[in-house]
Amino acid sequence: MNQAPRERWTGRTGFVLAAIGSAVGLGNMWRFSYLTAEYGGAAFVVLYVAFTVLIGIPVLLAELAMGRGANSSPISALGHFGGNAWKPGGALFVASGFLILAYYSVIAGWTLRYALVALFGGFDPDAKQYFIEISQGRGAVIGHVVFMAGTTLIVARGIRAGIERTSLILMPVLFMLICGLAVYGYTLEGAGAGYRFYLETDFSKILDAEVFSTAAGQAFFSLSLGMGAMMTYASYLSPEQHLPNESLVIGGADFVVAFVAGLVVFPLIFALGLSADVGESTLGALFITLPKAFSQMGIAGQVVGFLFFAALAVGALTSAISLLEVVTASAMDTLGWPRTRSALVFGVLITLLGIPPALKINILDWMDKLAGQLFLVTGGLLLSIFVGWVMKDPFSEVRRGAEHWPWFPVWRFLLRVPIPLALLIVLYSFVQKMFCE
Ligand code: TRP
């Protein structure tokens, strides 16, 4: 087994920023805005908020309690609290990490490339054609490999020197960038139409089953839930931390960044009269519509475009390290490998697995549906049932550092009945959509 004592975060700030770094990523800026556009604006946002509060934060707390309590990554944590029969569930988590990081890194590679293009010459007005050219093929593979190399090096350096330090520097930068961009969006003439689309609620859409499940899936993805990322980060925590408060802070920060990202994206698109493009929104939305907007804005477009895609790349990096950390920590905890070997071996394997989605965007889309939606929701279902029904005394884990937390019965009830039911509905709708259409 692993001989070295388990590393720890330096303190509360380090953990919270790293966890926010995991949560805030492409999910907040790219996935959130394209889904909001596709599913009719504010109705989707309202559902997303509701699911973040009712499902996301309780499951996040469950992950934190398990990780800190077991002091280990998902496979061993499930074994610790549930016995060996539960260990294969942890394997599902590790598989999700593998698959999600493989395509996530391809998208992150696009953002790197776009940031450079903005800086050194500006965007091609024919943004769609450009996106089609660069999103698949050799260029995409190069971006992916560069991004994975950075991610692997950070994880190999460890919790304090790698993950914590990166988050400490990059998260404040990201917050400032995104707030600055939102202020800029406000100054644009015609921004109002963007705000209206984003913030006016058409409540009839809320009852749509597809909107419902997509919003729940997004709440999961955005909070990095359902595959043990938060669990793994919590395994480096010291016992005196108030976990319910940490969950609120992480969930709140994640929502704020997604929301502010919407305040950047929609005014830009509407101010430049590109709202028709929003309707045909898909995977590529952000990478087509926004560059088109930037290309019409001259030098300002170059600056703003660079800052926007740099912010995306930063968010992607702090998320990617949490995905790789799950796989790395699992190899360390179960195989007893040293950190450097685990990070390098799995970094390389995931880089290889990312080549097919870098060559064909259809594969990427499919991997996102399979792992980014189906696996995560399945993982969340497993977690809520596990902590709600199987784990003997989950409150004793939560209570350390939070003696007087009054919400315990509500939390446990949510995990026992409403959350599994909601997730089952979501799962059913995903399966139906994936295989029956
Ligand atoms: N939450 C990140 C985002 O919004 C992505 C991410 C990082 C993730 N780690 C995860 C998603 C673990 C699911 C599970 O971009």
Side-chain angles (χ1 to χ4, degrees):
M1 285 315 280
N2 201 16
Q3 301 301 322
R6 201 170 187 77
E7 258 198 281
R8 298 278 161 211
W9 304 105
T10 33
R12 176 166 191 237
T13 318
F15 163 71
V16 170
L17 281 181
I20 294 176
S22 167
V24 169
L26 296 173
N28 300 60
M29 294 175 256
W30 157 76
R31 213 161 178 272
F32 174 73
S33 29
Y34 100 73
L35 290 176
T36 303
E38 193 173 335
Y39 290 99
F44 181 81
V45 181
V46 170
L47 274 178
Y48 166 73
V49 174
F51 286 134
T52 301
V53 173
L54 292 174
I55 304 182
I57 292 180
V59 174
L60 173 58
L61 178 58
E63 282 209 23
L64 296 186
M66 274 186 74
R68 187 181 67 179
N71 235 312
S72 67
S73 49
I75 299 182
S76 339
L78 280 165
H80 177 88
F81 286 114
N84 283 344
W86 282 90
K87 282 191 172 175
L92 170 77
F93 291 176
V94 178
S96 307
F98 234 86
L99 284 167
I100 295 178
L101 182 52
Y103 74 81
Y104 195 84
S105 160
V106 174
I107 303 168
W110 302 342
T111 66
L112 284 180
R113 172 149 185 169
Y114 271 62
L116 291 179
V117 168
L119 198 58
F120 295 111
F123 290 104
D124 195 327
D126 191 352
K128 192 164 190 171
Q129 187 53 35
Y130 183 74
F131 176 72
I132 293 171
E133 276 163 25
I134 69 108
S135 59
Q136 335 182 35
R138 187 160 16 121
V141 174
I142 295 174
H144 158 67
V145 171
V146 169
F147 186 82
M148 272 310 295
T151 305
T152 308
L153 286 181
I154 294 171
V155 173
R157 299 201 55 183
I159 296 301
R160 286 193 183 182
I163 298 179
E164 185 174 322
R165 184 172 311 154
T166 309
S167 315
L168 228 47
I169 301 171
L170 291 184
M171 289 325 286
V173 172
L174 183 126
F175 282 123
M176 283 189 299
L177 279 178
I178 190 111
C179 290
L181 288 167
V183 172
Y184 174 77
Y186 179 75
T187 64
L188 292 174
E189 211 173 308
Y195 293 134
R196 236 167 283 131
F197 171 80
Y198 183 36
L199 301 173
E200 262 172 21
T201 307
D202 172 3
F203 278 103
S204 65
K205 287 243 171 67
I206 284 192
L207 296 174
D208 183 318
E210 193 178 328
V211 180
F212 179 94
S213 4
T214 311
Q218 172 62 11
F220 252 73
F221 186 90
S222 185
L223 276 174
S224 303
L225 297 177
M227 55 144 299
M230 291 298 182
M231 195 188 297
T232 307
Y233 272 12
S235 74
Y236 306 110
L237 265 180
S238 55
E240 64 274 11
Q241 226 114 330
H242 194 296
L243 296 184
N245 282 354
E246 310 302 33
S247 314
L248 281 178
V249 171
I250 299 165
D254 184 55
F255 169 71
V256 168
V257 175
F259 187 76
V260 176
L263 294 178
V264 177
V265 170
F266 293 106
L268 263 173
I269 293 175
F270 279 78
L272 286 136
L274 298 171
S275 53
D277 296 2
V278 172
E280 51 174 289
S281 161
T282 53
L283 252 173
L286 209 59
F287 294 93
I288 296 173
T289 320
L290 285 177
K292 212 188 245 177
F294 295 138
S295 77
Q296 294 172 16
M297 290 160 56
I299 190 82
Q302 272 182 256
V303 176
V304 176
F306 168 71
L307 296 176
F308 182 82
F309 284 105
L312 264 177
V314 164
L317 182 65
T318 52
S319 296
I321 55 185
S322 77
L323 286 160
L324 184 58
E325 178 59 23
V326 174
V327 182
T328 305
S330 301
M332 292 167 67
D333 291 341
T334 52
L335 306 173
W337 286 11
R339 170 171 288 276
T340 337
R341 191 202 303 164
S342 312
L344 289 179
V345 167
F346 289 103
V348 169
L349 287 178
I350 294 172
T351 305
L352 294 175
L353 187 67
I355 291 177
L359 293 176
K360 273 274 7 84
I361 199 166
N362 297 346
I363 302 182
L364 192 156
D365 196 23
W366 187 82
M367 283 168 85
D368 181 43
K369 295 219 161 69
L370 182 76
Q373 300 190 352
L374 208 59
F375 282 17
L376 289 185
V377 176
T378 311
L381 184 63
L382 192 130
L383 268 168
S384 53
I385 293 175
F386 187 83
V387 176
W389 297 96
V390 179
M391 207 168 143
K392 289 241 166 47
D393 183 13
F395 192 33
S396 70
E397 294 309 332
V398 175
R399 200 186 288 124
R400 287 191 291 146
E403 282 82 33
H404 305 295
W405 190 56
W407 296 95
F408 178 70
V410 178
W411 175 63
R412 187 114 198 247
F413 171 73
L414 282 173
L415 286 176
R416 287 195 146 171
V417 185
I419 295 180
L421 278 181
L423 293 180
L424 271 176
I425 297 175
V426 172
L427 207 56
Y428 173 76
S429 120
F430 281 161
V431 171
Q432 208 186 25
K433 203 169 154 217
M434 271 184 89
F435 299 107
C436 306
E437 269 176 16

